[in-house]
Amino acid sequence: MLKAARHKEIVVLVQGGGAVEVSALAERFQTSPITIRRDLIELHERGLLERTRGGAVSGEVIAEGWARYESISYAERERENFREKRAIAELAAQLVSDGDCILVNGGTTSRHLAEALRGHHNLHVVTNGLTVAMEFARSQNASVYLLPGTVDFKKMASVSRPAPGAFDDISVRAAFLGVHGISLSGGIGMLSPEEAAMNRAFIDAAQTVNVIVDSSKFCSQAIFRIAKLDKVTRVITDAGIDPGARQKLESLGVEVLVASPEDASL
């Protein structure tokens, strides 16, 4: 296929589906990933798409995602899918034992997890979540290390792109990560490269990785990939997860735990 025809089809795919991956495009066009990356660079320079880690998305997808992100406050996020988040957090808390060393990132579901862990003792917690740290402070049953960075008031979290080796001295048994979106093909992701890089470092520091997301996150477009699903130990979500998505996750070796909102404490 001529380059011009390939470029036209890539643009159509991006505009139609919202996101494409280098590996999938290389297979589709029977060419090398290097060639596809060059295509994406050229199309990006022409303003026809936005490049991401491992692929590309349409500029409209980025704009829509950021527009919603910027328009909703942390308090409003707290109210979204409240019962589902509470149930997910309480189920996730059952995976934590007294004396554990864990990492919990910032976010509303993560705050619910910190609240659900109030009854645990002698926890050692690494977090970038301001509300997560404050929740543990109320219980006084945990020692908390709050990571530095620029405060994102939409997530009530400190965010920074970790310097090489910044997490070399941090090792935890388990990480609990709330993410902006989860995709069966693209993995888990965030809306900014800094958030994605920070959460990638969290994964590297943990023996097991637990993704705590309500089922709506399977429909959210995350622009910047944190990691593919082979880095995820389990996903803890609610009963709204599509059965096909659950089956696919389990076929990839990812354990899926489903929380029932009816069982959540109020």
Side-chain angles (χ1 to χ4, degrees):
M1 178 182 288
L2 294 175
K3 183 171 76 170
R6 190 171 63 244
H7 282 192
K8 183 177 180 179
E9 189 165 342
I10 290 173
V11 171
V12 170
L13 288 170
V14 168
Q15 292 176 344
V20 294
E21 294 185 351
V22 169
S23 57
L25 290 175
E27 182 177 351
R28 182 187 185 94
F29 296 115
Q30 293 297 293
T31 188
S32 70
I34 293 176
T35 298
I36 295 298
R37 289 190 185 96
R38 289 172 181 160
D39 289 342
L40 297 183
I41 289 171
E42 186 173 333
L43 292 169
H44 170 78
E45 290 174 346
R46 291 165 56 190
L48 296 173
L49 51 73
E50 295 289 336
R51 295 177 64 213
T52 65
R53 184 182 177 89
V57 297
S58 71
E60 291 181 358
V61 169
I62 291 181
E64 289 172 4
W66 272 108
R68 186 176 188 278
Y69 180 79
E70 290 298 325
S71 68
I72 299 178
S73 68
Y74 183 87
E76 289 173 305
R77 292 177 193 282
E78 275 276 295
R79 292 192 290 270
E80 287 185 336
N81 304 310
F82 180 88
R83 289 178 62 86
E84 288 80 4
K85 292 176 181 178
R86 175 65 65 85
I88 290 165
E90 292 182 358
L91 182 56
Q94 297 177 26
L95 302 174
V96 180
S97 302
D98 289 349
D100 258 349
C101 298
I102 62 174
L103 193 155
V104 183
N105 72 353
T108 55
T109 306
S110 296
R111 189 206 65 77
H112 282 295
L113 174 59
E115 183 179 7
L117 289 169
R118 282 185 183 180
H120 288 62
H121 296 275
N122 195 32
L123 296 179
H124 305 274
V125 183
V126 178
T127 186
N128 69 321
L130 305 184
T131 55
V132 171
M134 289 303 298
E135 204 63 59
F136 280 115
R138 291 189 181 97
S139 69
Q140 297 184 344
N141 289 327
S143 59
V144 178
Y145 176 68
L146 181 63
L147 295 166
T150 301
V151 176
D152 180 347
F153 288 103
K154 296 294 182 181
K155 292 184 71 70
M156 293 301 290
S158 61
V159 180
S160 66
R161 187 183 289 273
F167 279 68
D168 285 355
D169 294 331
I170 297 177
S171 178
V172 297
R173 186 187 67 80
F176 293 86
L177 306 180
V179 300
H180 181 79
I182 179 169
S183 164
L184 296 175
S185 59
I188 53 176
M190 291 294 197
L191 279 179
S192 77
E194 292 78 17
E195 278 191 299
M198 196 168 200
N199 281 276
R200 204 172 300 124
F202 293 168
I203 287 176
D204 292 340
Q207 296 173 26
T208 60
V209 176
N210 305 282
V211 174
I212 49 176
V213 289
D214 65 81
S215 56
S216 71
K217 295 300 189 295
F218 285 87
C219 302
S220 297
Q221 180 67 57
I223 308 303
F224 297 96
R225 179 188 293 155
I226 300 169
K228 290 192 173 183
L229 293 174
D230 59 359
K231 295 290 187 179
V232 175
T233 307
R234 64 180 57 86
V235 170
I236 306 167
T237 187
D238 60 74
I241 183 174
D242 179 77
R246 178 176 184 174
Q247 183 178 25
K248 178 63 174 177
L249 283 170
E250 292 175 336
S251 72
L252 293 172
V254 179
E255 182 182 7
V256 179
L257 301 182
V258 176
S260 172
E262 288 73 21
D263 298 332
S265 62
L266 297 177

